[in-house]
């Protein structure tokens, strides 16, 4: 079996299009694409040409002879996919979508708000048409959104996706307006008056709340805040209040069973020296070096079989040499995930720090007066208080409304239909569809939005802007002297 897809797979399908023998699935358009935990190479048809590995932006494709010991389980995982999904009816070559030609030949200008993965993939899609120019806006002066501030620093390969975004920046017609706040430095109406269309790719950057007593006490924090802190997000430069006191206690509790919860538990229990040569923020590294946490309890409200973390991420955790894994309770039905979890729990202790998986447990109340001292939980009708100095609720991200645009408070998304808010206003990424999927999932999402935008452009639904490109830049520069375009960013 020559090539194997491994943990960092971003599922953007670059490899699928590059493969000359169509041996990587699920491919775009096939059942499971967009929801599968990763893509898989068919060991029987791979011809070992290496085209996939050249195309992959996150170094996820590895020749089987170069797999590390920790990556070996991915060989079986790739092969197993084809036992259940033989794809016997597939065409001999991957289908490359036909290139769309625009009816419009005159130049058009598009503003994209948000320089994270969905905004960058959208820019890429639009810039395939030479007559389109794109300005990507972001409130931060550093681009790439969650690819920079959301991916765990020890996931080095996944962070490599920024190379793709740097290549998009080099396409003619691309520019930035970084450091611009929509609603403060410029309104939506002003943007709309200077571009043929405005696309919102503002993501979902706040943490969902649990709404239990004690939430908000020093030492209680959301997963997204914690992730922003260890990644050096400018909004969370200092350790959030109470974090250091939390780190001084022996136990932290992470509520939620998603991949973000797994990232946080791993970061809190990994030997900080293994993080020293990563992109982790220096202050976070220093705090972790001083941390006395030796146990992280991961609380799932459902059973192991329903845990939201993915098998590739669990395999990744299984490969960390110095973390002991304990399962407090039963793993439940036999699935690849629960089997691996049981296997990890059966190993002899590996290091002084441990992660304890505790399933079917709900959180009732955070205890403490001026700081967190524990979390009251319920399992099987029995109440119990877990002593802890740090409680992190990692129960998902939530989008925020853009002033003046429709927003669904229940789902936390911009109100839209397949990415169209109204002709001239569009959306892509987490603010369009909610906080789910992997970085590459945003590529397909952006393609869907771009199609609708181009349909409206070709259909004559997008009027010519009232002001010029220079006008909007001057207007913003008058209000904010710290805006960076691409040249300034590079300088
Ligand atoms: P997620 O995958 O949606 O997981 C949220 C977790 O919170 C679930 O375990 C959920 O339980 C739990 N939860 C929700 N409401 C709760 C409540 N009121 N009380 C207790 N638990 C509650 O979200 P995420 O971890 O923030 O990840 C977001 C997306 O980014 C996911 O698609 C994820 O796969 C992706 N991601 C990927 C990677 C990677 O590939 N390396 C890394 C990080 C994130 P239920 O299942 O019971 O609802």
């Amino acid at each position: 079996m020559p090539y194997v897809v491994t943990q960092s797979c971003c599922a953007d399908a670059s490899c699928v299009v590059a493969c000359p023998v169509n041996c990587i699935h699920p491919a775009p358009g096939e059942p499971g694409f967009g929801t599968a935990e990763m893509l898989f190479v068919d060991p029987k048809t791979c011809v070992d040409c290496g085209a996939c590995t050249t195309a992959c932006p996150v170094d996820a494709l590895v020749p089987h002879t170069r797999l590390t010991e920790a990556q070996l389980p991915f060989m079986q995982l790739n092969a197993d996919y084809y036992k259940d999904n033989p794809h016997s009816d597939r065409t001999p070559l991957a289908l490359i979508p036909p290139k769309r030609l625009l009816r419009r030949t005159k130049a058009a200008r598009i503003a994209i708000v948000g320089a994270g993965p969905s905004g960058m993939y959208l820019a890429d899609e639009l810039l395939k048409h030479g007559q389109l120019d794109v300005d990507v806006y972001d409130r931060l002066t550093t681009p790439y959104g969650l690819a920079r501030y959301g991916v765990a620093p020890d996931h080095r390969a996944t962070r490599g996706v920024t190379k793709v975004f740097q290549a998009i920046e080099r396409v003619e017609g691309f520019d930035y307006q970084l450091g611009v706040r929509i609603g403060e430095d410029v309104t939506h109406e002003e943007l709309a008056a200077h571009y043929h269309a405005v696309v919102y790719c503002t993501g979902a950057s706040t943490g969902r709340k649990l709404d239990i007593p004690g939430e908000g006490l020093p030492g209680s924090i959301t997963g997204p805040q914690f992730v922003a802190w260890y990644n050096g997000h400018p909004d969370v430069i200092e350790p959030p209040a109470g974090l250091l006191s939390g780190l001084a206690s022996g136990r932290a509790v992470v509520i939620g069973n998603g991949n973000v919860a797994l990232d946080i538990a791993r970061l809190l229990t990994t030997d900080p020296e293994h993080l020293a040569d990563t992109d982790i923020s220096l202050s976070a590294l220093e705090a972790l070096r001083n941390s006395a946490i030796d146990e992280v309890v991961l609380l799932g409200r459902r059973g192991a079989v329903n845990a939201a973390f993915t098998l590739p991420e669990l395999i990744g955790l299984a490969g960390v040499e110095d973390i002991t894994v304990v399962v407090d309770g039963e793993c439940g039905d036999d699935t690849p995930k629960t089997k691996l979890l049981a296997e990890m729990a059966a190993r002899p202790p590996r290091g002084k720090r441990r992660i304890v998986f505790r399933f079917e447990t709900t959180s009732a109340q955070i205890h403490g007066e001026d700081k967190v001292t524990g979390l009251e939980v319920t399992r099987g009708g029995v109440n119990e208080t877990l002593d802890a100095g740090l409680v992190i609720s990692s129960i998902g991200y939530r989008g925020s409304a853009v002033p003046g645009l429709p927003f669904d408070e229940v789902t936390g998304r911009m109100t839209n239909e397949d990415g169209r808010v109204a002709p001239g206003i569009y959306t892509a990424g987490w603010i369009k569809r909610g906080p789910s999927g992997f970085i590459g999932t945003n590529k397909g999402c952006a393609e869907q939005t771009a199609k609708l935008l181009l349909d409206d452009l070709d259909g004559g639904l997008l009027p010519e802007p009232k002001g010029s490109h220079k006008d909007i830049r001057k207007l913003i520069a008058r209000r904010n002297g710290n805006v960076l375009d691409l040249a300034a960013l590079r300088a």
Side-chain angles (χ1 to χ4, degrees), residues 286-451:
E286 213 35 49
L288 291 173
R289 278 185 171 134
N290 294 322
S291 152
I293 287 181
D294 53 16
E295 178 176 296
V296 175
V297 178
L298 256 179
L299 287 189
R301 62 177 170 179
R302 298 194 286 158
V305 72
N306 292 312
F309 54 75
T310 56
L311 183 56
E313 289 306 305
L314 191 65
I315 294 175
L317 178 64
V320 181
E321 277 170 10
D322 53 359
I323 300 176
T324 300
V325 169
V326 175
V327 177
D328 178 356
E330 296 296 314
C331 287
D333 295 351
D334 255 7
T335 65
K337 214 188 277 181
T338 54
K339 274 200 252 176
L340 176 59
L341 204 52
E343 197 186 303
M344 289 160 77
R347 292 169 176 168
R350 296 181 136 202
K352 58 181 169 74
R353 292 179 167 154
R354 57 188 217 156
I355 296 177
V356 180
F357 286 84
R358 222 180 133 131
F359 298 103
E360 293 172 348
T361 305
T362 52
S363 310
Q365 178 171 2
I366 297 174
H367 288 296
E369 282 187 7
D370 53 353
K371 63 177 187 202
V372 170
T373 56
L375 176 73
E376 193 177 318
V377 297
T378 310
R379 179 162 63 174
V382 179
N383 276 21
E384 185 188 342
T385 297
L386 302 172
D387 292 336
L390 177 63
V391 173
I392 303 174
S393 63
S394 180
I395 59 166
Y397 283 75
R398 189 180 155 78
S400 306
V402 175
L405 291 176
F407 186 72
D408 182 337
E409 285 293 341
V410 178
T411 60
R413 296 182 217 157
M414 187 171 282
T415 312
N416 74 93
E417 211 164 303
D418 296 335
R420 188 193 275 116
V421 179
I425 312 172
Y426 307 86
T427 177
W430 278 7
I431 192 67
K432 162 186 165 184
R433 62 172 209 280
S436 68
F438 312 100
I439 290 180
T441 315
N442 293 299
K443 187 172 164 68
C445 178
E447 284 167 6
Q448 184 192 44
T449 297
K451 181 189 174 301

Side-chain angles (χ1 to χ4, degrees), residues 38-39 41-42 47 65 141 187 205 209 224 269 271 273-274 289 293 300 332 355-356 360 390 393 421 425 447 457 468:
M38 55 183 274
L39 306 184
V41 171
D42 181 354
V47 291
T65 47
T141 48
T187 64
S205 53
K209 290 269 186 316
T269 45
D271 179 344
E273 295 324 309
H274 295 164
R289 278 185 171 134
I293 287 181
I355 296 177
V356 180
E360 293 172 348
L390 177 63
S393 63
V421 179
I425 312 172
E447 284 167 6
L457 187 66
S468 74

